[in-house]
Amino acid sequence: GVKLGDKVVSTFNELKLRKSSRFLVLQIKDFTEVVVEKSVARTGDCHTDWEAFVAALPCNDCRYGVFEFDFVKEGEGDRSRIIFVLWSPEGSKVKARMVYAATWRTVRASLLGIGYELQAGATGVDYDTILSDLKKSVK
């Protein structure tokens, strides 16, 4: 099976606890190991960072993404949720889609503190849709 690289959990914990990054892009390298492909710092603006995150995902290959999504819930103030994304665009190879789909629960279970999950291709990554979903789901 596919194993989790040494730095995946520690890099995730840096994002979660120290707010050192806004997002991570994780790749399954050679179908054997999940590694951190990119760790990108916050610019301060969640919407701008979300657009950069989506742009960092390849149009013809699968990835996992982790994004810290900040928002304001009316009457309750600032909120933040860590989103875990299985990115599987239509242009990706069947083998890659199968391996990423088969491994995503294992990767997800290793990253403690995920508040929202999303499986997406070219659609399903609209900022406003996710913002709306988060505002509805956060208590």
Side-chain angles (χ1 to χ4, degrees):
V2 176
K3 68 179 183 132
L4 209 58
D6 296 338
K7 296 196 177 205
V8 173
V9 173
S10 62
T11 305
F12 171 78
N13 286 334
E14 290 281 320
L15 175 145
K16 179 176 76 173
L17 301 172
R18 295 206 175 118
K19 314 273 188 217
S20 58
S21 301
R22 171 69 80 180
F23 68 85
L24 309 175
V25 177
L26 308 177
Q27 174 187 25
I28 298 178
K29 195 164 180 101
D30 302 322
F31 297 105
T32 60
E33 181 181 28
V34 178
V35 298
V36 177
E37 182 180 49
K38 293 178 184 164
S39 175
V40 178
R42 298 165 161 264
T43 65
D45 175 51
C46 187
H47 192 268
T48 301
D49 288 347
W50 180 259
E51 297 302 323
F53 170 65
V54 172
L57 299 169
C59 61
N60 60 355
D61 202 1
C62 301
R63 292 292 186 274
Y64 299 118
V66 177
F67 187 93
E68 186 161 22
F69 203 105
D70 300 327
F71 60 99
V72 176
K73 185 163 185 183
E74 204 156 312
E76 296 182 30
D78 293 345
R79 296 284 185 260
S80 179
R81 289 294 176 268
I82 298 176
I83 299 174
F84 183 69
V85 179
L86 167 57
W87 176 254
S88 185
E90 285 186 27
S92 56
K93 294 187 169 135
V94 173
K95 180 178 180 181
R97 286 198 300 250
M98 289 172 49
V99 171
Y100 274 81
T103 308
W104 98 294
R105 288 276 169 225
T106 303
V107 175
R108 160 64 183 93
S110 301
L111 306 176
L112 303 177
I114 300 292
Y116 184 83
E117 296 178 13
L118 175 67
Q119 295 182 43
T123 60
V125 292
D126 177 65
Y127 177 86
D128 292 325
T129 302
I130 293 167
L131 178 62
S132 174
D133 286 352
L134 285 173
K135 284 182 176 182
K136 286 184 225 164
S137 68
V138 171
K139 305 262 184 280

